[in-house]
Amino acid sequence: RRHNHLYNIYNTIQPDSIIALDNHPASYFIINLLNDKQVNVSVVTYSTDILKYLCKNTNFNIVFTSGKIDSGLHTITGAEVIKKFEQLQIDYYFCGANYLDDDANLYQIHEDIAQIQRCLITRSKASYLINYPALCNDDHSQKLSLIGQLV
């Protein structure tokens, strides 16, 4: 039942929409759903795994850019990525966060990814959280980077 809201959102995505996807298992669900329904979209991502999957399994338009490839995180990061994404008007951004605090602030553990996510939130008409982040605790030994706030 908790997934009905997101499923309804996925079903409202129109052909030629521009969607942004984080490197998260739910992104594959979104891709497959749109592909199965033959809803052709343009996909923005900084995930090398998502890029590879899109190339092999869809005919979607893919928006990506050069940058620093982090083979451990399977991401493309850096100023070039943000500069490119700042030029886009994105319809839907499906965002994954690591942590959530009591004030509904979303956090990422990697600052370079948080910078990209903040950019994508800013450039998107609508952003949706696609996972259930862990709650922040009082352990400040790990530096967290603010992504945005749930509204």
Side-chain angles (χ1 to χ4, degrees):
R1 181 178 168 121
R2 292 190 301 191
H3 301 286
N4 286 347
H5 179 68
L6 280 178
Y7 189 76
N8 290 337
I9 292 166
Y10 304 151
N11 281 315
T12 64
I13 296 173
Q14 297 297 309
D16 301 320
S17 293
I18 300 173
I19 66 171
L21 298 172
D22 277 354
N23 191 14
H24 188 275
S27 295
Y28 298 96
F29 173 80
I30 296 166
I31 292 166
N32 291 335
L33 178 75
L34 294 173
N35 198 40
D36 290 347
K37 291 176 58 180
Q38 298 180 346
V39 178
N40 195 29
V41 296
S42 294
V43 179
V44 176
T45 189
Y46 58 91
S47 164
T48 57
D49 290 339
I50 297 294
L51 285 171
K52 181 179 174 183
Y53 189 83
L54 287 165
C55 289
K56 289 176 99 176
N57 298 290
T58 76
N59 290 320
F60 296 164
N61 297 315
I62 304 169
V63 179
F64 68 100
T65 184
S66 61
K68 177 185 165 201
I69 295 181
D70 185 322
S71 59
L73 294 176
H74 304 261
T75 58
I76 304 170
T77 60
E80 303 94 343
V81 177
I82 293 170
K83 185 176 178 180
K84 174 66 175 181
F85 290 174
E86 283 175 339
Q87 298 172 4
L88 303 175
Q89 271 300 355
I90 299 165
D91 296 303
Y92 303 93
Y93 173 37
F94 297 97
C95 177
N98 296 107
Y99 292 99
L100 173 72
D101 69 13
D102 292 335
D103 296 322
N105 292 308
L106 299 170
Y107 295 92
Q108 171 61 247
I109 59 175
H110 303 284
E111 174 57 28
D112 52 351
I113 294 173
Q115 289 174 5
I116 294 169
Q117 290 178 308
R118 286 191 297 267
C119 174
L120 290 171
I121 289 169
T122 302
R123 301 304 304 160
S124 298
K125 294 176 187 172
S127 299
Y128 301 97
L129 184 64
I130 57 174
N131 67 321
Y132 298 101
L135 293 176
C136 292
N137 58 30
D138 293 332
D139 179 14
H140 298 291
S141 62
Q142 186 171 31
K143 184 178 180 325
L144 300 177
S145 299
L146 181 67
I147 299 170
Q149 188 173 42
L150 285 176
V151 287

